[in-house]
Amino acid sequence: MGKLHVFILFFLMITLADCVVAENCQGYDAVPVVPGKYPEGLLIDNGVALATIVVPKDASFAEDYAAKDLQKVLYKMTGVALPIANDCNELNGNRILIGSTQQTDSVVSPTERANLGKEDYLARLSGRDIVLVGGGYYGTIYACAEIYELLGARWYMSGELGECIPKLDTVRINNLDVRRSPSFKMRWIGGNLNWSMRNRLNCVQNNPEMPPAFTIKPVQQIWDDGYIGLFHTQQDLLPDEQYFANHPEYYALVDGKRSTNINLRKLCNSNPAVAIEVAKNLAKLVRENPNIDLLNFSPTDGWEHCECEQCRKLDEPNVPQDRRYSRRQMILYNRVAEELEKQFPDQKILIGAYHIYAWPPKDTSVKAHKNLAVVICHYEDYCLAHPTNDPSCPPNKRYLELIRQWQKHTSNIFLYEYYAKGNWRGLPWPIVHTIEKDIPFYHSINIAGLYTQWDFSGLIWGNFLDGYVAAKLLWDHTADVQEILDEFYKKFYGRAAVPMRRWHETLEKQLANCGVHMPGNAPRNAHYIFTEKVMKNLKQCIKKAVSLANDDIVKRRLERMAALTEYTDKLANVFRLRKQAVKLEGQEKIKALEKAIHIFEELQRDVDKNPGHYEGISSHITMHTRSMQRMVDQMKKYLVGKQLEQKKDSLLADEEID
Ligand SMILES: [Zn+2]
Ligand SMILES: [Zn+2]
């Protein structure tokens, strides 16, 4: 009897018994396990399925997701699809019990399960069963990730090229009995569901059927590609269309008028009605989302703070720029917290510390309300070349002091990181050496969670390793990063591991040792890292790697890395020439500028013409941002003599941050 017939017969039998084999994922041709007693933990033996994936009859979305993902990953590993069945079936062979099946309690006692936190999980082998069960919605999915980890499967970035799944004929799990919990309660890197789940992250916002394990409302939807931000949520809480016509006084007074610029303008902090309305809308969110972890209230980006007399009176005189509006901001945050507390006494509200309200107010009488949690931005004034607790890095010494200051106000501190920098223009961002030190340190000072900007417009190749290492450490701050990296080079680059390790390490070392404190901003700072010597080394690494690679997928990864190297070489050359031009005079200056403009415009045209070649590396948007265009315009103005009378360094005017 063929496989299909066996399947149909089995399907009919159990349908009659009112217990349906769950639908097979991706139409895999799974057959029921043949009766027999199989060795403990043996799931697939020489291409034959010996185990069934078992889900509860009324499986939740998460249990269903976990079962199908496990089936899919094991299929990719072995070419064998394990059957998925409901827990009311009599099943042959070994079983993988997903979540709350009828059989789970025989392996894990109800007391043990009751002690699991919502993201904790147990993975246990006992006799014919492997139990994969979480304390809540997501723990069961993470328990499957435990199996992937054990079997050597890794996802270094989302998409096919990030996937490293070993090819096996036999799958056997030995001596499995673990209980795990995450090191941080918020772990948020990007929005890809599969990638996040397999790396045990918890703030994925893009699946309506599965709310995030750590729920924050509202979040900010930015850009067309669905990138989701943690900050600047004010507009969602007091939307213009609902309030402006009747209450223009809720919004910032700018140049004598109540501003309608919804992307920039802030609220009128001194107006007590603003706090009442914001709290009312936050309360609505709590009622709609009873399991919410954090409400989220922070101002829009940029300027346009209220200029009304009452707001000005809330500000402190003679304070540095980065606490200029801290006092007025805290007063509004506190009023909102006091209002909400009347209905929800313990509900935490996440507030923002950033830009000109980064520090708590100098006025120590203005303390944060007990229900406020804060997210602090590791922003432009700080450094990612060196760890936060590196005392020899003055910007980060100050950043650590900023965290310490906030710790006097709240024990609920979250960090907003830049493990991908928008203004780094897709260039390699070699900060693994910083992340390796930072995340365990953050754990030691009780930071509650971390969000990072990630994968802007899909520009992943320059920063994917940062996100991967961060994901590992956020789950387990004791993870051995050197081990993670040893494994990464081997799995991801195969025979090309040695030269590609040199590629990554060259950049990591250069950033750590180039003598600058690095906040990002490619036009201003990229030349410190991508020197002519460094670029020559990188190109040699790529050449050597390409000559060694024999595996098709490794070749495709190297193609991306080669394209990234070539793009970096060209763009860094533009930035270097521009810096050199400042020090040159006469014809030499003109030549350097002409060359920089020529290379830049050629690259711009090439990115527009060949988007496929630059996929994941650069894009039309990246090459046409206002600040990039402004940089070229400045150089052109020099050449036509419009700015010859100006100071030399006006060529290097600060770049806009975008
Ligand atoms: Zn005002
Ligand atoms: Zn530094």
Side-chain angles (χ1 to χ4, degrees), residues 382-387 390 392-396 516-518:
Y382 310 114
C383 168
L384 279 151
H386 309 118
D390 176 353
S392 68
C393 172
N396 278 347
V516 294
H517 302 291
M518 181 62 71

Side-chain angles (χ1 to χ4, degrees), residues 597-617:
I597 295 166
H598 175 74
I599 296 170
F600 181 79
E601 292 188 334
E602 207 174 52
L603 184 61
Q604 216 175 25
R605 279 194 297 273
D606 201 38
V607 170
D608 284 351
K609 221 167 62 194
N610 303 304
H613 180 71
Y614 293 95
E615 196 186 340
I617 292 160

Side-chain angles (χ1 to χ4, degrees), residues 425-429 460-464 503-504 507 535 538 542 558-570 613-614 616-618:
R425 311 296 172 219
L427 298 172
W429 185 226
I460 186 84
W461 285 89
N463 55 54
F464 70 94
W503 189 100
H504 286 274
L507 288 174
M535 289 316 304
L538 298 189
I542 295 285
L558 288 178
E559 206 178 87
R560 297 290 80 218
M561 292 303 284
L564 173 66
T565 308
E566 175 203 303
Y567 167 77
T568 304
D569 193 33
K570 287 179 182 163
H613 180 71
Y614 293 95
I617 292 160
S618 188

Side-chain angles (χ1 to χ4, degrees), residues 251-253 258 267-271 305-316 325 327-328:
Y251 301 95
L253 186 74
R258 295 291 167 176
L267 301 174
C268 178
N269 292 48
S270 60
N271 185 339
H305 290 263
C306 188
E307 294 165 1
C308 84
E309 206 186 321
Q310 293 308 311
C311 280
R312 284 174 190 277
K313 277 187 193 160
L314 302 180
D315 298 331
E316 298 175 292
Y325 290 133
R327 191 171 179 278
R328 68 160 69 180

